[in-house]
Amino acid sequence: MSRFFHGDSSSESSSSDEEELYSEGEGEAAEVASDNDSDENDSDSGDDSSSDEDGKTKSGANKFLKSDDEESEESSDEERTTLVKSAKDKRFEELEATIKSIENAEKINDWAHISAEFDKLNRQVVKLVQSGTTPKVYVKAIADLEDFMNETIAKQKVSTKKMNATNARGLNAVKQRIKKNNKDFAKDVDQYREDKLGFMESEDEEEVVPVEKARKQPRTALDADDAGVGDEGFSTVGKGGKTLQYTPESIFKNLRIIVESRGRKNTDRTEQIRVMERLFEVAITTYQKIRVLLALISTRFDLTTGAASFMSQEQWKLAEQEFGTLLEILQANPDIVVLENAEEWEDDEKPPTPAPGEKLRVPGSVVSFVERLDDELTRSLQHIDPHTAEYIERLADEGALYTNIVRGLLYVEHLAKDSKLETSQESTNRIVMRRLEHVYFKPAQVVTILEDNTWKAIPPALVSEVTPRDIHDSAVLVQTLCTYLYQHSEGIIRARSMLCHIYYLALHDQYYQARDMMLMSHLQETINNFDINTQILFNRTLVQVGLCAFRAGLVYEAQNSLQEICGSGRQKELLAQGVMIQRYSQVTPEQERLERQRQLPFHMHINLELLECVYLTCSMLLEIPLLAQTGSSPDIKKRVISKTYRRMLEYHERQIFTGPPENTRDHVMQASKALAAGEWKRSADFIHSIKIWELMPQPEAIKAMLSAQIQEEGLRTYLFTYAPFYDTLAVDTLGSMFELPARKVAAVVSKMISHEELAAALDQVNSAIIFRKGVELSRLQSLALTMSDKASGLMESNERILEQRTQGTANAFDRNAQGGGRGGRGGRGRGRGEGRGGGGGAGRRPGGGNQFTGGALGQSGAVRA
């Protein structure tokens, strides 16, 4: 019977218009009616078949209309009593079916099937336990299964026949899970084993009540909700319509369920966070709050999966606030401590009670939370565009993070005071290192403000022994942190702390102290053995030392420090400030992903344009006088200080037309050409016009230092270039040319003479330079010396190759061997030079046949002899 016209007898008196409408759509309506007829009960289908047999076939709209006989039959169906099962009864049936399946598998010793069904059984019983008491059939099943498992294991120990691999895996899986599972129902299992019959007979079985089937009515969502609501008020309804009740007694059970589901697929972590927030609200004791906060913070960190994503600012702030709350609770309750080496408490029914005089230990790691908060903030800064306001807003969270780092350090120090807790020194070193990494690259003024705000947010009662409150100087703070790590750490942490200390000193213009520490640490010899992040920190420190030397006017030292990084052309990659994708590089996607993870946030970057400008300027001040020296004296070996600078200079000189300088590189190249031509003022103007100097502290002092350096190097270049054309040259003349005092000119000339760079003598009486003639070689003499050097080098290489070829073959190339030599085609010599096929003695004819002459090398040796 169709559902479309289910109603009272008034449907029979339908109008003729309706019948015409129905007859027009007869084909379509008949198909729909036939589909819906299949969903009706058996009595309806029986009626249809009987009506067809009687030959009373209906047509048109009459197919959908009820007759009097059909109505009477339906009313009789409704009066019948049917068996209605509740959802709880259906779950009991499913549970019993699973238990029956386990019992059948036990008969054939199929442990793979038992393992799968045991997991299914535990999933089914969760819903029944939440709605009431634990089913006794379940208690009986798990108790009998544990006994059967013990019997099987005992039989396997004495049996010679081994279990197959599949069954063995299933048995091991059940063995691992059933002991942990039965702890939750230990009380019921013990009662069952004491009196099995009495335990099972006390079970109250629910009777099936015949219920009169009511007419079908549409069930609304409100009715569905009302089913889970009692007289006491509203309840939280979860998935599947099950009622969730959160009480202080159920906190640990819910936490265990959440913790066990970590890492599984299709786990709604957002829902878990909402559940734990609700649990924290209903938590009463301090122990409950600490346990919930530890699980809640860990679950928030689980929201970010994969290296490509980062924690949202909202979730990060919530985790940071909850971590602050956790520290406040721990500091207010010193009898409860969070330790990494604490044992997990298994009993969810009652909290642990420590022994008198002992502290309650909760498993967890405050240091790990600090590190994870720091890593997530760094990761978010890596992914945010640094040129937007969002980056500045996100960077403002560093103050709250630094406060939590200091508070975490205070808590770890508090734990370290109690020797009974056996805390590791590594935890303190890790958190001190995190604090140092937030300080070492900042200017002193910023560090002072950060420290003041941090200590204002910390209660006055908390005192640190590592860094007392009265430290107001950032240099003293960095010195204190580094000294602590020098004394209590080793390996990577000690090396990183030393690099951070050197970086801070170089940043604040303490070059000689930074240089001495760098040399005494010997890190440049062992840095390749450290991890990549430490190598990046070493590169950053080396660059900062070079910049410090430049600000101090030490051009040669600055160029030496920057040469390794800037001369490679891979500054971005070596300083972790960008990924350089080369066209033919063999970088795998995994390597590229790791490279992007190591990138530093933008606020920690060193300006690469400023770095290049300093490097090229230092190279110019060293290379231009060297080029002038080698050009005027061909006998001096051509040495290159900076290959990068030389390539740029050669490319610039090959250009036919050079326009006005546009970037930093063009300014330095044009200044180099002017300096080589002796136009030091023009060179200084080009260097001063570079705008990047404004980014350095005290730019005017930097420009004055550069002018003095250019004047001095211009003087050296002029003397190297034009010395052959002078017999004597007055010091005052040079002073007027380069606007230098006579004392400075005399000092520069004396230094050049002492280093044998200039063949001259300084006449201090007449204040003049007397150049020595005849010392310089002619062009022919220079070429002859070059040829002799190359010939001697060729001979040395020939001898080295000869020694390599003759290893293990004595006298192989000796043409005048006196005895024991090998004859021609004959055998060995007979002691006195008498070979079997021709001896090798003096005065005898050389052995017949073609002898080994050593090839081209042997012939060349003969020619030399």
Side-chain angles (χ1 to χ4, degrees):
M1 187 181 67
S2 173
R3 292 194 187 99
F4 293 109
F5 293 93
H6 190 284
D8 52 13
S9 60
S10 62
S11 61
E12 295 181 356
S13 60
S14 58
S15 65
S16 60
D17 295 336
E18 290 177 343
E19 290 180 358
E20 291 175 1
L21 177 62
Y22 296 148
S23 62
E24 289 174 1
E26 179 180 350
E28 296 177 1
E31 292 180 9
V32 176
S34 63
D35 292 336
N36 288 322
D37 283 342
S38 62
D39 297 334
E40 285 297 317
N41 51 27
D42 296 337
S43 63
D44 293 333
S45 61
D47 294 340
D48 292 341
S49 61
S50 63
S51 62
D52 292 339
E53 291 175 0
D54 295 340
K56 297 178 182 179
T57 305
K58 295 182 181 180
S59 62
N62 293 329
K63 284 185 177 182
F64 303 101
L65 301 179
K66 297 181 185 176
S67 63
D68 295 335
D69 296 336
E70 291 170 348
E71 284 191 357
S72 62
E73 288 175 2
E74 184 180 0
S75 62
S76 64
D77 290 340
E78 292 174 353
E79 291 174 358
R80 294 175 187 171
T81 58
T82 58
L83 196 64
V84 179
K85 295 180 180 179
S86 64
K88 186 176 181 181
D89 294 336
K90 291 179 180 179
R91 288 172 185 156
F92 265 109
E93 287 183 359
E94 293 174 358
L95 192 72
E96 290 172 351
T98 306
I99 294 172
K100 185 67 176 176
S101 178
I102 292 176
E103 291 174 353
N104 293 334
E106 288 176 356
K107 294 176 183 178
I108 60 175
N109 207 26
D110 186 0
W111 283 99
H113 186 71
I114 292 174
S115 176
E117 292 297 312
F118 181 65
D119 292 341
K120 181 179 177 183
L121 183 70
N122 289 331
R123 289 195 298 269
Q124 291 172 346
V125 81
V126 170
K127 299 177 182 178
L128 293 170
V129 171
Q130 289 179 349
S131 60
T133 59
T134 306
K136 296 190 177 181
V137 290
Y138 173 76
V139 175
K140 174 181 179 298
I142 61 176
D144 293 344
L145 179 59
E146 186 175 9
D147 296 339
F148 180 70
M149 180 195 69
N150 294 330
E151 291 176 7
T152 306
I153 293 174
K155 289 178 182 178
Q156 284 295 316
K157 289 181 180 179
V158 298
S159 175
T160 57
K161 186 178 180 181
K162 292 186 177 181
M163 190 180 292
N164 61 36
T166 306
N167 270 356
R169 283 195 298 268
L171 178 61
N172 289 333
V174 174
K175 180 181 177 182
Q176 292 173 359
R177 288 194 290 265
I178 196 168
K179 290 184 178 180
K180 185 177 180 181
N181 180 73
N182 286 11
K183 285 182 181 179
D184 299 334
F185 308 98
K187 185 177 179 181
D188 295 332
V189 171
D190 293 340
Q191 290 180 1
Y192 168 74
R193 284 175 175 164
E194 289 174 2
D195 185 9
K196 295 184 178 181
L197 295 177
F199 181 81
M200 298 304 296
E201 287 175 358
S202 62
E203 183 176 6
D204 296 326
E205 298 182 356
E206 295 184 1
E207 296 182 357
V208 178
V209 181
V211 181
E212 183 178 349
K213 185 177 179 181
R215 287 183 178 270
K216 295 182 179 179
Q217 294 181 355
R219 180 178 174 87
T220 62
L222 183 61
D223 296 334
D225 292 339
D226 292 341
V229 178
D231 297 334
E232 297 177 0
F234 294 98
S235 300
T236 305
V237 179
K239 288 185 178 181
K242 60 183 180 181
T243 304
L244 304 177
Q245 295 181 351
Y246 302 118
T247 61
E249 293 77 15
S250 65
I251 285 178
F252 298 129
K253 287 186 178 180
N254 289 314
L255 282 181
R256 181 173 295 278
I257 294 172
I258 292 173
V259 171
E260 289 177 353
S261 66
R262 286 186 68 185
R264 295 181 182 176
K265 292 183 178 179
N266 302 324
T267 302
D268 190 356
R269 297 186 179 91
T270 308
E271 178 64 26
Q272 290 181 346
I273 289 174
R274 284 198 291 266
V275 169
M276 284 188 284
E277 288 174 347
R278 176 65 179 150
L279 291 176
F280 183 71
E281 292 176 1
V282 301
I284 299 175
T285 64
T286 304
Y287 177 73
Q288 290 176 343
K289 292 180 180 179
I290 292 174
R291 285 284 303 274
V292 173
L293 283 174
L294 290 172
L296 179 55
I297 297 171
S298 300
T299 308
R300 288 198 191 277
F301 289 139
D302 289 342
L303 286 175
T304 56
T305 56
S309 61
F310 59 94
M311 199 171 182
S312 65
Q313 185 175 7
E314 179 186 1
Q315 291 294 334
W316 188 91
K317 285 187 174 181
L318 290 172
E320 183 267 328
Q321 292 171 3
E322 288 157 0
F323 179 68
T325 305
L326 174 65
L327 290 178
E328 290 176 0
I329 295 174
L330 290 173
Q331 288 162 354
N333 299 272
D335 54 334
I336 303 177
V337 294
V338 175
L339 294 174
E340 295 181 8
N341 56 2
E343 295 182 0
E344 185 74 30
W345 183 255
E346 299 291 343
D347 192 357
D348 295 337
E349 298 295 333
K350 57 179 181 179
T353 55
E358 295 290 332
K359 294 183 178 180
L360 180 57
R361 305 185 181 192
V362 182
S365 177
V366 173
V367 180
S368 298
F369 285 156
V370 169
E371 292 177 335
R372 190 64 190 273
L373 282 171
D374 191 9
D375 293 341
E376 290 295 339
L377 179 62
T378 302
R379 189 181 299 177
S380 65
L381 291 173
Q382 288 174 346
H383 288 80
I384 297 174
D385 184 3
H387 304 292
T388 59
E390 182 184 1
Y391 188 90
I392 305 299
E393 181 184 355
R394 195 75 181 92
L395 189 59
D397 294 332
E398 188 182 11
L401 173 63
Y402 187 78
T403 302
N404 281 326
I405 290 175
V406 176
R407 295 193 67 174
L409 175 60
L410 296 174
Y411 183 71
V412 173
E413 285 183 41
H414 170 70
L415 296 181
K417 294 177 182 177
D418 192 348
S419 59
K420 295 180 181 179
L421 299 178
E422 299 178 356
T423 57
S424 63
Q425 181 63 39
E426 183 185 0
S427 299
T428 310
N429 295 341
R430 282 160 53 195
I431 198 166
V432 170
M433 190 66 226
R434 289 283 175 167
R435 184 178 179 185
L436 180 61
E437 287 177 348
H438 278 270
V439 168
Y440 79 96
F441 64 92
K442 291 183 172 69
Q445 300 86 349
V446 178
V447 176
T448 303
I449 296 172
L450 185 64
E451 281 287 314
D452 291 342
N453 294 336
T454 299
W455 287 111
K456 287 178 183 176
I458 296 176
L462 299 177
V463 180
S464 172
E465 294 183 357
V466 178
T467 56
R469 281 177 178 264
D470 55 357
I471 296 180
H472 300 291
D473 188 3
S474 60
V476 178
L477 173 66
V478 173
Q479 175 77 27
T480 305
L481 294 174
C482 293
T483 304
Y484 181 85
L485 293 176
Y486 297 157
Q487 295 173 351
H488 298 90
S489 67
E490 57 185 10
I492 291 180
I493 293 182
R494 187 173 186 178
R496 290 184 66 87
S497 63
M498 191 168 295
L499 290 172
C500 291
H501 197 182
I502 297 170
Y503 190 103
Y504 182 85
L505 293 173
L507 184 65
H508 293 83
D509 295 330
Q510 300 181 36
Y511 169 73
Y512 292 104
Q513 193 175 352
R515 181 201 62 182
D516 294 343
M517 284 191 64
M518 177 69 86
L519 294 176
M520 288 188 297
S521 66
H522 297 285
L523 286 173
Q524 60 272 17
E525 300 170 5
T526 59
I527 191 62
N528 292 327
N529 300 328
F530 291 99
D531 62 320
I532 296 180
N533 290 324
T534 306
Q535 294 179 19
I536 291 170
L537 180 58
F538 177 82
N539 294 338
R540 285 167 52 80
T541 305
L542 194 62
V543 165
Q544 199 60 247
V545 170
L547 293 176
C548 180
F550 177 77
R551 291 193 296 269
L554 305 172
V555 175
Y556 180 76
E557 289 80 357
Q559 205 277 341
N560 277 344
S561 298
L562 299 177
Q563 172 67 38
E564 189 174 356
I565 304 298
C566 299
S568 64
R570 298 165 52 221
Q571 296 95 317
K572 280 186 179 181
E573 186 178 351
L574 294 175
L575 298 176
Q577 296 182 189
V579 180
M580 298 181 64
I581 305 299
Q582 299 178 0
R583 181 177 298 177
Y584 301 107
S585 63
Q586 301 294 327
V587 179
T588 63
E590 180 68 17
Q591 291 175 336
E592 184 179 348
R593 183 181 64 81
L594 293 174
E595 189 70 26
R596 294 188 184 279
Q597 286 182 12
R598 287 191 286 264
Q599 299 304 300
L600 294 172
F602 184 76
H603 68 282
M604 297 178 65
H605 284 191
I606 298 172
N607 193 308
L608 294 180
E609 188 178 355
L610 176 63
L611 188 62
E612 183 186 29
C613 181
V614 170
Y615 173 70
L616 292 179
T617 304
C618 293
S619 299
M620 177 193 75
L621 294 174
L622 296 176
E623 284 280 7
I624 295 301
L626 182 62
L627 287 171
Q629 183 181 8
T630 54
S632 61
S633 303
D635 58 317
I636 299 178
K637 286 187 177 181
K638 293 185 178 180
R639 63 187 182 93
V640 179
I641 295 177
S642 172
K643 291 183 179 179
T644 306
Y645 174 80
R646 286 284 182 97
R647 284 196 299 267
M648 291 181 186
L649 191 60
E650 290 172 3
Y651 175 76
H652 190 268
E653 288 176 349
R654 284 199 303 267
Q655 289 183 346
I656 299 173
F657 173 76
T658 55
E662 296 179 356
N663 52 26
T664 303
R665 191 174 298 178
D666 291 345
H667 278 88
V668 176
M669 292 301 110
Q670 299 244 8
S672 301
K673 290 182 67 176
L675 185 61
E679 301 177 0
W680 69 270
K681 285 186 178 181
R682 190 160 172 262
S683 175
D685 291 338
F686 278 123
I687 295 296
H688 290 173
S689 61
I690 299 175
K691 296 181 179 179
I692 200 72
W693 302 123
E694 302 296 330
L695 297 180
M696 299 189 78
Q698 301 177 354
E700 296 302 324
I702 297 293
K703 291 179 181 179
M705 180 270 296
L706 287 173
S707 296
Q709 292 285 344
I710 290 172
Q711 284 175 308
E712 184 177 339
E713 299 303 327
L715 172 61
R716 285 164 47 83
T717 304
Y718 183 83
L719 290 175
F720 283 135
T721 305
Y722 298 105
F725 303 99
Y726 284 100
D727 288 330
T728 59
L729 184 60
V731 174
D732 294 335
T733 304
L734 287 174
S736 61
M737 288 174 62
F738 293 95
E739 298 182 4
L740 288 172
R743 190 180 186 86
K744 181 67 175 176
V745 174
V748 171
V749 172
S750 300
K751 187 176 181 181
M752 293 174 67
I753 294 173
S754 66
H755 291 171
E756 298 182 356
E757 296 174 345
L758 188 64
L762 184 61
D763 186 359
Q764 295 182 351
V765 177
N766 298 320
S767 186
I769 305 169
I770 303 173
F771 295 94
R772 294 199 300 267
K773 295 297 181 180
V775 178
E776 293 81 6
L777 300 175
S778 65
R779 181 68 174 168
L780 179 61
Q781 291 171 333
S782 300
L783 292 175
L785 287 173
T786 304
M787 182 178 176
S788 66
D789 291 340
K790 290 185 178 179
S792 62
L794 182 62
M795 290 173 61
E796 290 175 0
S797 63
N798 191 8
E799 289 177 354
R800 284 195 299 269
I801 296 173
L802 187 63
E803 290 174 0
Q804 293 175 2
R805 290 288 187 91
T806 58
Q807 285 179 356
T809 55
N811 301 323
F813 295 94
D814 192 355
R815 299 295 185 271
N816 300 316
Q818 294 298 322
R822 187 184 294 273
R825 292 184 182 176
R828 295 179 181 271
R830 295 194 177 184
R832 280 182 278 184
E834 296 179 358
R836 185 176 293 177
R844 292 180 181 270
R845 183 176 61 87
N850 297 325
Q851 292 181 329
F852 174 61
T853 62
L857 290 175
Q859 293 173 7
S860 65
V863 171
R864 288 180 56 195

